[in-house]
């Protein structure tokens, strides 16, 4: 079957339904409905098999930071495939793309994060992190320091390790997660869980849960704390400003390693190279993936501080992936980093695009259906609510209103995702002001349609 001479959509959908198992999907229901087939993309716009053009408010899956259609990346891949399509880095060998990318990441990363262990994805990198921090403590003569503290509603991937670090209840309900010695504390989600506290008090309160958990477990048993600077898949949950400084104080005080999962917040999403810089935190390890290659190739990794890397180096680390530092993926990532840098894309996010989005997005909070409209960098979210004065949740099953809203959004040719009853966007970092305005226009129409629909169906009652 030729992919350039595209067959009718119904035919593609039938093949998809018959043979393709989609991630995080009820495949029976999708098969009956038919998946939307995306065929092309350019800049911030997707085209489907019916020729419909959509604004991609999600940068693919939070990853296409430099936008679609950059031929330089295709050329970098082709060049590398001709020269050296694959070689491993296991048996005392290296290759130019992997070592050059490692050096470049060491230069970009803050502090003494000078060493990179490559993986094929964010999930794999977090699996590496679990084993690396435990091996680090074992080599330091503290093998009992095994427990990793993470957060409810955090997302760290979908492998057994990544899914266990994550705090997604729906994931833990299937397949035997979490694995042992991973425990969870609550998230700093003020709008949803903050009650009568001010955001600042609530941020401190949630940080203090970390301290309480460390003391409960015994600091001598805790290896690390892992968190996303801003929770992405959990619903773009932006912590109160009081949260991160207090977390940093606590991990410093008890000598606990800090792992910042920068898979979304890395590579410019928050207006700095890394979200840790945006929040002034000093992680010992950063997880990276997604924006590292702008999604043009699957690649992830862990950027590791001197102390951990030097300790791990004392012995053989019995861990790695066939595709650790894959030369084609590394070459594409290098080209992506060059473009982010030379086109000053991150500076533009910081100085221009993020402030523009912040201002425009915040106005959505005036809509009767919206409880909060928040953004940081180019990540933004809305809380849908039946009663904004009480920050109330819907009486209907969580996600009902969000799903309806998502359907209207797709109908308006805007890819906006829902997480429960939160609506989220994270567009390519190259988005223009006028395309941001277009997103706001389509989101507003979507909210109007959703509100009318919820009224019509009697779904506006509060819990
Ligand atoms: C997407 C994501 C991951 C997992 O990355 P994959 O490449 O899907 O394995 C891990 N952490 C965070 C914060 C993510 O958003």
């Amino acid at each position: 079957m030729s992919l350039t001479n595209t067959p009718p959509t119904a035919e593609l959908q039938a093949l998809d339904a018959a043979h393709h198992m989609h991630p995080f999907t009820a495949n029976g229901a999708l098969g009956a409905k038919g998946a939307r087939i995306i065929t092309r993309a350019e800049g911030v716009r997707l085209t489907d098999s019916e020729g419909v053009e959509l604004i991609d408010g999600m940068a693919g899956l939070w990853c296409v930071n430099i936008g679609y259609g950059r031929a330089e990346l295709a050329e970098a891949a082709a060049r590398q495939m001709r020269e050296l399509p694959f070689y491993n880095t296991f048996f005392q060998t290296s290759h130019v793309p992997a070592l050059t990318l490692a050096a470049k990441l060491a230069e970009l990363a803050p502090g003494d994060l000078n060493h990179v262990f490559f993986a094929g994805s964010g999930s794999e990198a977090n699996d590496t992190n679990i084993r690396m921090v435990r091996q680090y403590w074992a080599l330091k003569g503290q093998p009992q320091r095994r427990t990793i503290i993470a957060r409810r509603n955090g997302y760290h991937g979908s492998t057994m390790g990544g899914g266990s670090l994550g705090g997604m209840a729906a994931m833990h309900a299937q397949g035997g997660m979490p694995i042992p010695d991973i425990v969870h504390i609550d998230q700093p989600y003020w709008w949803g869980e903050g009650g009568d506290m001010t955001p600042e008090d609530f941020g401190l309160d949630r940080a203090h849960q970390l301290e309480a958990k460390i003391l409960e477990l015994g600091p001598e048993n805790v290896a690390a704390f892992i968190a996303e600077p801003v929770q992405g898949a959990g619903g773009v949950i932006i912590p109160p400003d009081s949260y991160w400084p207090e977390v940093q104080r606590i991990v410093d005080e008890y000598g606990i390693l800090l792992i910042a999962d920068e898979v979304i917040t890395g590579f410019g999403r928050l207006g700095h190279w890394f979200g840790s810089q945006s929040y002034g935190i000093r992680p010992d390890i950063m997880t990276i993936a997604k924006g590292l290659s702008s999604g043009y190739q699957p690649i992830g990794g862990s950027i590791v501080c001197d102390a951990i890397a030097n300790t791990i180096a004392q012995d053989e680390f019995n861990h790695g992936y066939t595709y650790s530092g894959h030369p084609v993926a590394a070459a594409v990532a290098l080209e992506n980093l060059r473009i982010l840098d030379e086109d000053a894309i991150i500076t533009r996010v910081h100085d221009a695009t993020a402030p523009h989005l912040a201002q425009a997005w915040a106005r959505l909070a005036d809509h009767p259906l919206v409880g909060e409209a928040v953004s940081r960098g180019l990540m933004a979210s809305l809380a849908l609510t039946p009663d904004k004065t009480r920050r109330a949740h819907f009486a209907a099953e969580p996600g009902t209103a969000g799903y309806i809203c998502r359907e209207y959004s797709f109908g308006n040719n805007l890819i906006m995702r829902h997480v429960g009853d939160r609506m989220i966007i994270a567009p390519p970092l190259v988005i223009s002001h006028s395309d941001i305005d277009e997103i706001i226009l389509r989101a507003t129409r979507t909210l109007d349609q959703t509100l009318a629909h919820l009224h019509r169906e009697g779904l506006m009652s509060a819990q």
Side-chain angles (χ1 to χ4, degrees):
M1 185 180 73
S2 156
L3 291 175
T4 46
N5 192 7
T6 312
T9 300
E11 232 173 84
L12 296 170
Q13 289 173 326
L15 282 174
D16 190 69
H19 304 294
H20 181 197
M21 300 170 78
H22 291 245
F24 287 99
T25 298
N27 279 282
L30 177 64
K33 184 183 173 192
R36 193 192 276 246
I37 318 282
I38 304 299
T39 52
R40 305 189 60 76
E42 183 67 35
V44 303
R45 284 178 164 73
L46 308 167
T47 307
D48 73 11
S49 56
E50 296 291 280
V52 174
E53 202 175 84
L54 303 103
I55 296 184
D56 185 5
M58 286 305 300
L61 258 180
W62 323 85
C63 54
V64 188
N65 288 13
I66 63 165
Y68 298 94
R70 292 297 298 242
E72 302 97 312
L73 272 65
E75 277 147 25
R79 222 171 20 243
Q80 187 58 46
M81 278 195 198
R82 287 193 196 97
E83 195 167 307
L84 181 70
F86 178 76
Y87 200 69
N88 76 76
T89 51
F90 281 33
F91 307 119
Q92 305 197 356
T93 56
S94 195
H95 51 68
V96 177
L99 65 91
T100 311
L101 180 59
K104 181 71 191 171
L105 289 167
E107 177 195 319
L108 292 174
D112 68 348
L113 294 165
N114 289 322
H115 313 266
V116 185
F117 194 104
F118 286 112
S121 67
S123 302
E124 289 177 10
N126 278 326
D127 280 37
T128 297
N129 293 339
I130 294 173
R131 300 196 56 208
M132 192 174 327
V133 297
R134 288 175 177 169
Q135 170 69 354
Y136 167 77
W137 286 117
L139 287 168
K140 298 289 272 185
Q142 300 184 56
Q144 82 292 344
R145 267 200 195 254
R146 290 179 51 78
T147 301
I148 300 172
I149 303 175
R151 303 186 301 186
R152 295 188 187 95
N153 201 38
Y155 188 78
H156 301 294
S158 193
T159 51
M160 287 300 285
S164 295
L165 292 173
M168 297 292 178
M171 290 175 69
H172 289 181
Q174 299 172 347
M177 292 192 287
I179 59 173
D181 300 324
I182 292 174
V183 300
H184 297 84
I185 58 173
D186 287 322
Q187 59 183 335
Y189 177 24
W190 176 79
W191 190 87
E193 301 175 1
D196 294 332
M197 282 189 211
T198 65
E200 294 317 296
D201 286 348
F202 178 72
L204 290 176
D205 192 64
R206 285 289 153 104
H208 292 153
Q209 275 199 16
L210 174 61
E211 188 161 34
K213 184 57 81 178
I214 291 169
L215 292 171
E216 176 196 323
L217 294 163
E220 70 282 5
N221 297 313
V222 180
F225 174 60
I226 183 168
E228 305 152 81
V230 170
Q231 284 158 267
V236 182
I237 291 164
I238 298 164
D241 286 340
S242 57
Y243 182 74
W244 273 116
E246 188 64 3
V247 167
Q248 183 71 58
R249 178 195 69 75
I250 292 165
V251 293
D252 287 348
E253 180 164 338
Y254 296 96
I256 311 291
L257 299 175
L258 176 60
I259 306 171
D261 187 335
E262 295 263 11
V263 169
I264 288 175
T265 51
F267 308 103
R269 178 64 52 197
L270 300 186
H272 296 85
W273 277 98
F274 297 98
S276 294
Q277 295 163 317
S278 176
Y279 280 100
I281 50 178
R282 299 182 308 280
D284 301 288
I285 297 179
M286 295 195 308
T287 319
I288 54 171
K290 295 195 172 119
L292 169 57
S293 66
S294 281
Y296 281 57
Q297 281 283 291
I299 182 168
S302 307
I303 313 185
V304 180
C305 69
D306 289 340
I308 296 177
N310 293 339
T311 301
I312 291 290
Q314 291 166 15
D315 200 355
E316 180 165 342
F317 185 36
N318 299 312
H319 174 71
Y321 307 105
T322 299
Y323 297 140
S324 286
H326 191 288
V328 178
V332 168
L334 275 165
E335 187 63 7
N336 174 61
L337 298 181
R338 186 191 66 74
I339 289 173
L340 279 172
D341 187 22
E342 286 180 13
D343 288 5
I345 291 171
I346 299 173
T347 312
R348 191 168 148 269
V349 168
H350 182 274
D351 293 347
T353 334
H356 183 74
L357 175 69
Q359 210 177 37
W361 191 260
R363 283 199 298 274
L364 294 175
D366 297 337
H367 195 278
L369 192 55
V370 174
E372 73 165 355
V374 290
S375 72
R376 177 119 187 175
L378 288 190
M379 298 173 83
S381 57
L382 304 171
L384 304 183
T385 176
D387 180 356
K388 63 205 291 170
T389 60
R390 292 195 297 119
R391 307 207 318 262
H393 299 277
F394 291 94
E397 198 189 323
T400 306
Y403 180 82
I404 292 166
C405 189
R406 206 268 312 265
E407 291 294 285
Y408 279 113
S409 183
F410 276 36
N412 290 317
N413 298 333
L414 168 64
I415 305 275
M416 175 164 66
R417 204 174 131 189
H418 82 106
V419 175
D421 294 317
R422 287 183 82 79
M423 306 307 300
I424 62 180
I425 61 160
L429 305 187
V430 294
I431 193 167
S432 66
H433 286 206
S434 66
D435 278 335
I436 288 175
D437 297 343
E438 186 60 34
I439 286 181
I440 303 292
L441 215 66
R442 293 184 194 189
T444 305
R445 192 184 318 143
T446 297
L447 290 167
D448 290 343
Q449 291 165 328
T450 305
L451 181 62
H453 184 113
L454 294 174
H455 275 306
R456 217 160 46 235
E457 304 285 324
L459 289 169
M460 278 299 281
S461 37
Q463 232 171 41

